[in-house]
Amino acid sequence: MIARYTNPEMGRIWTEERRYQAWLEVELAAADAMADAGIVPHDAARELRMRARFDIARIEDIEQTTHHDVIAFTTAVAEHVGPAARYLHFGLTSSDVVDTALALQMVEACDLIIRGVDALCEAIRARADQHRHTPMIGRTHGVHAEPMTFGLKLALWYAELQRDLTRLRRAREVVRVGKISGAVGTFAHLPPSIEADVCRRLKLQAAPVSSQVIQRDRHAELMAALAITGASLEKFALEIRGLQKTEIGEVEEPFAKGQKGSSAMPHKRNPIGCEQICGLARLLRSNAMAAMENIALWHERDISHSSVERVILPDTFIALDHMLRRFTRIVSGMVVHQDRMLENLGRSRGVVFSGQVLLELAAHGVSREQAYSWVQRNALRSYDEKLDFKTLLLADPDITGVLSRDEIERAFDLAVQLRHVDAIFERVFQEVAA
């Protein structure tokens, strides 16, 4: 990701510095666990804890010769330790360190993403409350359907984000595992008790069984949860983009003082933030697909997943973190044109109340097929001749032979159409609280 878009907190997790620090945390936890188990001397473990450190430039220099990053790392650390370094990486294989350390990074990154989703939820909830009773037209197939409120649209977003949170929290637990089980997962050199102790010290769960690596279905589940969250943001951003079309003009993403929309057209105010979110969501989905490709490895392990993860994990977390922060600002600052919503609601000359008229006729004993025919012919005439739908109904002897003027008027009452909005809000937000 471009550096200027990266949240320093998220960016730090995926630096070389943090990666090697996590490796060192695993190595030292293993030494401490082995010392407590009598496998290595306590003095050696204390010496490692006191002296172990690394220099990235030195690691990179050694790796030019070894072509093996973990060996370069342990060699560089050993240079600072002295004789006790023989107990560094004792009984471990590279993936014991790399995969367990990666779990630490993923858990940290998940915590930031979850915090970002929580913040977005609060922003959406505030705007939903503000526009709980702001009427607008609902659209299906892009065509006017029936009246709704803008607050309901936002409540829908809120409920979806709560499901995203559930997926993210589950995925965080799925990847919160470590392994110290050796080259093919048999604990040939260290007992399972050491793995359990190391994971406890690192606040991880021990994988119940592993090969040389932690199985990548875990990582794929995490990447899928991140991609689905990104797809939710894309859905919301796409809606704002649609509502910002000149022909609709109901909602706009914020446009800052001094901001420019076009080098050629000074009048332009474009939804570039929402467009960026839609674009990045595509990247997240492609990365999730790559993570699924990483599940199948040869036998007990090959290295084909490693190079992929070095790209897709940092990029996905950094991209989604940016998307969450940017969309939170968009939601908090978006401009809602309530007058335009009312104008558009009336643009179809009342035909959006046709469903209620149909029900009123059926309730008065008219067959559904007959009622549908009567209502549709008036609705289509309203469309074709640009006439007011209610006026046509009041002039139709078939309709007025069944419904009184007051009953027809009531079918066009927004308060009747939207009478359950508060109940929906209570259901959405109380269920979440529960």
Side-chain angles (χ1 to χ4, degrees), residues 172-239:
R172 179 190 185 275
E173 291 306 299
V174 167
V175 299
R176 192 176 64 85
V177 296
K179 58 89 62 182
I180 308 290
S181 56
V184 292
T186 58
F187 297 98
H189 306 296
L190 295 170
S193 58
I194 295 299
E195 178 185 76
D197 193 12
V198 170
C199 289
R200 178 187 60 79
R201 293 168 188 266
L202 297 172
K203 299 181 179 179
L204 301 175
Q205 297 291 326
V209 62
S210 59
S211 58
Q212 188 177 105
V213 295
I214 291 172
Q215 302 308 288
R216 259 46 194 180
D217 64 289
R218 296 177 181 272
H219 304 67
E221 181 172 341
L222 170 62
M223 293 293 288
L226 296 171
I228 292 171
T229 303
S232 293
L233 299 185
E234 178 186 20
K235 167 184 170 178
F236 310 154
L238 188 65
E239 182 67 12

Side-chain angles (χ1 to χ4, degrees), residues 267-332:
H267 69 279
K268 295 280 281 180
R269 293 192 299 196
N270 302 323
I272 58 169
C274 289
E275 289 171 341
Q276 183 187 83
I277 287 165
C278 291
L280 289 174
R282 300 168 189 167
L283 177 67
L284 268 54
R285 286 194 290 276
S286 66
N287 286 352
M289 182 59 70
M292 292 180 190
E293 297 289 341
N294 281 347
I295 294 173
L297 304 176
W298 281 18
H299 306 301
E300 277 56 62
R301 181 247 183 150
D302 64 56
I303 203 172
S304 60
H305 65 287
S306 178
S307 56
V308 179
E309 288 173 356
R310 292 180 191 226
V311 175
I312 65 173
L313 285 171
D315 277 9
T316 296
F317 274 108
I318 289 171
L320 182 55
D321 178 74
H322 169 69
M323 292 163 69
L324 285 165
R325 291 183 298 113
R326 181 150 201 186
F327 195 64
T328 300
R329 293 193 299 270
I330 288 171
V331 167
S332 297

Side-chain angles (χ1 to χ4, degrees), residues 57-82:
R58 179 57 179 151
I59 294 170
E60 292 174 348
D61 182 54
I62 296 170
E63 192 176 353
Q64 293 299 312
T65 300
T66 64
H67 298 284
H68 194 292
D69 53 359
V70 177
I71 293 175
F73 169 77
T74 55
T75 301
V77 172
E79 292 175 348
H80 297 283
V81 175

Side-chain angles (χ1 to χ4, degrees), residues 330-404:
I330 288 171
V331 167
S332 297
M334 68 181 171
V335 180
V336 179
H337 298 290
Q338 299 182 47
D339 55 343
R340 188 58 180 262
M341 289 180 173
L342 278 175
E343 179 186 341
N344 286 339
L345 180 57
R347 190 176 295 276
S348 51
R349 302 178 185 84
V351 296
V352 296
F353 295 96
S354 69
Q356 189 62 41
V357 178
L358 172 66
L359 291 178
E360 291 290 342
L361 289 168
H364 282 71
V366 181
S367 72
R368 182 178 180 83
E369 291 74 17
Q370 184 64 75
Y372 196 102
S373 175
W374 291 349
V375 174
Q376 186 185 44
R377 76 184 180 209
N378 284 284
L380 295 180
R381 187 180 173 198
S382 174
Y383 271 131
D384 295 340
E385 300 179 27
K386 297 181 174 52
L387 299 173
D388 180 68
F389 180 55
K390 183 171 31 172
T391 301
L392 291 174
L393 293 177
L394 290 169
D396 187 321
D398 288 330
I399 303 291
T400 57
V402 178
L403 300 179
S404 68

Side-chain angles (χ1 to χ4, degrees), residues 404-424:
S404 68
R405 172 178 286 273
D406 287 344
E407 287 169 334
I408 294 173
E409 291 284 353
R410 188 168 62 248
F412 286 76
D413 188 346
L414 270 179
V416 173
Q417 293 283 311
L418 304 176
R419 63 191 182 279
H420 297 302
V421 168
D422 287 338
I424 298 170

Side-chain angles (χ1 to χ4, degrees), residues 6-215:
T6 303
N7 173 10
E9 281 188 276
M10 182 62 80
R12 179 195 61 80
I13 294 171
W14 301 106
T15 59
E16 292 289 274
E17 178 76 24
R18 177 56 189 138
R19 180 162 69 102
Y20 291 134
Q21 184 60 43
W23 288 8
L24 188 58
E25 289 173 23
V26 176
E27 295 279 9
L28 296 178
D32 290 341
M34 285 186 274
D36 286 351
I39 297 173
V40 305
H42 275 288
D43 287 348
R46 281 194 293 269
E47 192 78 2
L48 283 168
R49 178 70 64 179
M50 181 171 59
R51 294 181 179 277
R53 60 186 185 274
F54 59 85
D55 177 83
I56 293 176
R58 179 57 179 151
I59 294 170
E60 292 174 348
D61 182 54
I62 296 170
E63 192 176 353
Q64 293 299 312
T65 300
T66 64
H67 298 284
H68 194 292
D69 53 359
V70 177
I71 293 175
F73 169 77
T74 55
T75 301
V77 172
E79 292 175 348
H80 297 283
V81 175
R86 66 182 180 273
Y87 296 109
L88 178 72
H89 205 68
F90 191 83
L92 305 182
T93 192
S94 296
S95 291
D96 288 335
V97 176
V98 172
D99 277 9
T100 304
L102 181 59
L104 297 177
Q105 291 176 279
M106 290 188 294
V107 168
E108 289 177 24
C110 281
D111 287 341
L112 287 183
I113 293 296
I114 289 168
R115 193 171 78 192
V117 175
D118 278 331
L120 176 55
C121 283
E122 287 308 305
I124 290 175
R125 181 170 188 162
R127 298 309 299 268
D129 282 338
Q130 180 184 358
H131 292 287
R132 178 187 298 214
H133 297 295
T134 300
M136 67 180 299
I137 187 62
R139 298 171 174 90
T140 58
H141 304 274
V143 177
H144 284 201
E146 291 187 340
M148 61 178 296
T149 75
F150 188 54
L152 277 178
K153 191 182 294 286
L154 298 178
L156 188 85
W157 296 2
Y158 183 93
E160 182 164 338
L161 284 171
Q162 293 301 311
R163 295 192 295 276
D164 289 326
L165 278 172
T166 298
R167 282 184 283 265
L168 290 167
R169 287 171 179 143
R170 169 181 158 75
R172 179 190 185 275
E173 291 306 299
V174 167
V175 299
R176 192 176 64 85
V177 296
K179 58 89 62 182
I180 308 290
S181 56
V184 292
T186 58
F187 297 98
H189 306 296
L190 295 170
S193 58
I194 295 299
E195 178 185 76
D197 193 12
V198 170
C199 289
R200 178 187 60 79
R201 293 168 188 266
L202 297 172
K203 299 181 179 179
L204 301 175
Q205 297 291 326
V209 62
S210 59
S211 58
Q212 188 177 105
V213 295
I214 291 172
Q215 302 308 288

